[in-house]
Amino acid sequence: MRKTRVVDERRHKFLVRSALLDFVIAIVSYTFSGSGPFLVFLTLGVIFILLDRLGTPAVELDIDGTTYWIYPSWNFSEIVVDGGDRRTFPLLPGKNTIEVGRKVINVYQMPRRFFPALFVEFEGEKIKLL
């Protein structure tokens, strides 16, 4: 079990489309309005690209020769298990038990001020995800 980063396809599509739209708006605004709005939209496009490259924190598990990635959804309401197939499980405060490949994985969600803290426990090893 190790901590890694994953790029979710839906999040990737949204961020890339937003960045491309901001770059197009930046070019059009430069031709009509000058450098003021151009720099704003160019900066927003760069921020979207950086957020896309950052990825989502995930835990990588190797269970019976199959690699699974466990990470939260964009609004922390579900936990996504991506491996042979993609499955989602509801994420509730406290202890959540997930069965993946005949193995039991515990996911703990602890409420905090802005984002919840997530811990993944597998075979006695506990990793802080967020």
Side-chain angles (χ1 to χ4, degrees):
M1 180 162 88
R2 70 184 183 100
K3 194 171 177 180
T4 184
R5 292 201 169 266
V6 174
V7 177
D8 187 21
E9 290 180 29
R10 287 180 279 165
R11 181 176 182 250
H12 171 71
K13 287 179 185 177
F14 170 75
L15 290 172
V16 168
R17 286 180 184 162
S18 299
L20 288 175
L21 180 66
D22 279 330
F23 289 142
V24 168
I25 292 173
I27 291 170
V28 170
S29 69
Y30 184 72
T31 58
F32 292 115
S33 303
S35 64
F38 168 75
L39 292 175
V40 171
F41 288 109
L42 185 69
T43 303
L44 282 174
V46 169
I47 288 172
F48 282 133
I49 292 294
L50 290 175
L51 283 175
D52 178 49
R53 301 307 309 153
L54 198 71
T56 304
V59 171
E60 183 178 308
L61 294 173
D62 187 25
I63 301 174
D64 298 331
T66 305
T67 303
Y68 294 96
W69 293 274
I70 299 174
Y71 55 94
S73 65
W74 64 276
N75 60 356
F76 302 103
S77 66
E78 299 175 324
I79 195 83
V80 179
V81 178
D82 201 356
D85 57 341
R86 180 187 163 115
R87 295 184 296 171
T88 59
F89 299 95
L91 186 60
L92 303 171
K95 181 179 178 181
N96 299 284
T97 303
I98 299 171
E99 187 174 335
V100 177
R102 297 183 309 249
K103 301 281 185 173
V104 175
I105 300 167
N106 294 321
V107 179
Y108 300 94
Q109 180 184 16
M110 308 297 175
R112 290 191 311 188
R113 180 171 288 185
F114 296 111
F115 296 106
L118 292 177
F119 296 92
V120 177
E121 182 181 13
F122 178 65
E123 295 180 346
E125 186 179 356
K126 196 173 193 180
I127 291 182
K128 183 177 181 181
L129 191 57
L130 292 174

